[in-house]
Amino acid sequence: MIEDLQLAARVRAASVVGLASELIRRPSRGGIDAYGPVLGVLEEWLSARELPHRRLHDDTGQLVGLLVEIPGGRPGPWWTLDACVDTASYGDESAWSFPPDCGDVVDGWLRGRGSADSKLAAAMFCHIAADLAPHAASLRGGLAVLLDVDEHTGGFGGARAYLADPAAARPAGVMIGYPGMDEVVVGGRGLWRATLTVHAPSGHSGSSRTVVGAISRAAHLVRLLDAAELPGVDAASGFPLPPKLSVTALHGGEGFSVVSDRCDLNIDVRTTPGFGAHDAETLVRKIAADLDAALPGPRPTEVTPVVAWPPFRLGEDEQPAAALLTAAAETGLTVRAKTAGPSNIGNLLAGEGIPAISGFGVPYEGLHGIDERAHLAELPTVYAVYHRAVLGLLGS
């Protein structure tokens, strides 16, 4: 069985790379490029193979993804493979040693933006759906392949549209096709984000009257936030990372002669099971009150929450983590289960009560940076692992 899957994966590899190359050649930078061309390549490929699929739209009617659905012939849960086909921006294109949208293969590397994150995975998942479709009658439940955009903007419009679609079967779990072959991300810290608005009297910088401006008050607030005491790792919960607080942006003032009466800060708190969104908000509001007590302003400092996602962590014996880790082991790989510090789409899914894993794919370089590329020698093995994991989940 393992040898058959690996042989099929080697046969499929060239076709997977061909589709991925076409996707890379359609720029789809999140929030910059139109998504129609890259999704059009996928629609054409899926239609040619008569794979059932449909478009997903957000609340404004914008196209935010495609959904492939392969219903099984027997009752059971649905499982989802997810890969985004929008990308990070190119950055300084003059720093690249090849065109960011070249999509070519040189010395065994697929080159271009999206080769690692995550157009190669999207092409691979489409081929797995094509492999399974002729045998759907023997499968339990069903397989969905989500090909989403609006991921790199942080809006996750495609995933949100999928979860809100009443016609879509709710998945029992999701496997997200981020790259990296040594580990599977089975958990991640959550987040609580807010904007803090600091007020002060306005004034002229040359006036004889001394005014503590909003920027100065905000600088004091930043020091208080940086000095905040957060709990460490909670060994009892089994969650391996501590919470973290960061000031990520500060906006205020203009010119030279006006002392600003307002300054806005962005706060990002990474949360854990033992220090959640409520704890983060309570801490930040207390620090804001401490600022107002130490350096009173004309109005209290405002705390405006922006978004909160819960932390999550699957046990290695929970699905779909167990299926992928088992398939990797049976294919001869040693893959480590990891809890990630950065948040990802798994947190969004966790907020919906849907378990998710991510981060198993081919080795890569330059993700979100210059000269992004994906190593192809390992593609047949990665393909075989996902194929085997999906078959296990679908009861075949």
Side-chain angles (χ1 to χ4, degrees):
M1 177 66 164
I2 295 173
E3 292 76 10
D4 291 344
L5 288 178
Q6 290 176 324
L7 176 60
R10 286 193 292 272
V11 171
R12 286 290 200 187
S15 180
V16 170
V17 174
L19 177 57
S21 295
E22 289 300 311
L23 297 175
I24 293 167
R25 294 180 185 125
R26 273 61 171 191
S28 54
R29 295 163 290 179
I32 299 175
D33 299 310
Y35 300 133
V38 70
L39 291 173
V41 170
L42 290 166
E43 284 186 302
E44 183 178 348
W45 191 93
L46 294 166
S47 296
R49 288 152 184 82
E50 299 183 345
L51 288 173
H53 64 280
R54 53 193 171 87
R55 294 184 170 191
L56 296 173
H57 298 86
D58 64 15
D59 292 340
T60 68
Q62 294 297 311
L63 177 63
V64 289
L66 300 175
L67 182 64
V68 184
E69 295 169 305
I70 309 294
R74 296 184 288 168
W78 279 68
W79 304 90
T80 299
L81 298 173
D82 171 33
C84 64
V85 292
D86 68 322
T87 72
S89 63
Y90 295 155
D92 181 5
E93 294 186 47
S94 67
W96 287 63
S97 64
F98 49 82
D101 60 351
C102 62
D104 59 5
V105 176
V106 175
D107 296 330
W109 292 87
L110 174 64
R111 308 191 307 173
R113 177 64 85 223
S115 56
D117 184 13
S118 294
K119 292 180 175 181
L120 184 62
M124 180 174 62
F125 290 166
C126 286
H127 280 77
I128 289 175
D131 284 345
L132 295 182
H135 312 289
S138 66
L139 305 178
R140 293 191 179 96
L143 175 69
V145 177
L146 174 61
L147 305 163
D148 57 320
V149 294
D150 193 39
E151 197 263 11
H152 284 82
T153 63
F156 297 108
R160 293 182 189 277
Y162 169 46
L163 296 175
D165 188 342
R170 191 170 184 82
V174 178
M175 293 188 283
I176 304 162
Y178 294 148
M181 200 167 180
D182 296 329
E183 53 196 23
V184 174
V185 175
V186 298
R189 284 189 291 209
L191 60 80
W192 179 83
R193 290 174 176 164
T195 297
L196 277 60
T197 302
V198 177
H199 301 280
S202 60
H204 194 287
S205 60
S207 172
S208 60
R209 182 170 66 95
T210 300
V211 174
V212 180
I215 294 175
S216 295
R217 294 190 74 231
H220 187 72
L221 177 58
V222 170
R223 288 193 291 271
L224 292 175
L225 290 163
D226 285 344
E229 292 189 8
L230 297 171
V233 172
D234 181 5
S237 71
F239 198 84
L241 299 174
K244 182 181 180 183
L245 186 155
S246 303
V247 180
T248 56
L250 188 148
H251 307 280
E254 57 181 311
F256 291 92
S257 61
V258 177
V259 178
S260 176
D261 63 356
R262 173 176 175 150
C263 190
D264 297 301
L265 295 78
N266 289 352
I267 308 300
D268 181 286
V269 183
R270 298 304 166 115
T271 59
T272 66
F275 187 86
H278 175 75
D279 303 300
E281 182 168 356
T282 299
L283 174 65
V284 170
R285 288 190 182 276
K286 180 183 182 302
I287 293 172
D290 291 344
L291 169 73
D292 293 337
L295 290 175
R299 295 165 55 188
T301 298
E302 300 168 19
V303 179
T304 306
V306 174
V307 66
W309 287 349
F312 74 100
R313 187 168 186 265
L314 298 183
E316 295 182 26
D317 59 345
E318 296 180 83
Q319 298 292 16
L324 190 62
L325 290 169
T326 298
E330 292 175 346
T331 311
L333 300 178
T334 301
V335 180
R336 181 173 67 92
K338 175 185 177 182
T339 300
S343 301
N344 60 44
I345 197 172
N347 297 87
L348 173 67
L349 294 164
E352 297 285 333
I354 300 171
I357 59 173
S358 63
F360 180 74
V362 299
Y364 64 93
E365 293 180 356
L367 187 146
H368 290 190
I370 63 169
D371 288 353
E372 181 178 345
R373 59 183 189 164
H375 200 244
L376 298 176
E378 297 82 359
L379 177 60
T381 300
V382 172
Y383 189 101
V385 168
Y386 272 111
H387 195 169
R388 184 173 181 81
V390 169
L391 287 175
L393 290 168
L394 297 176
S396 177

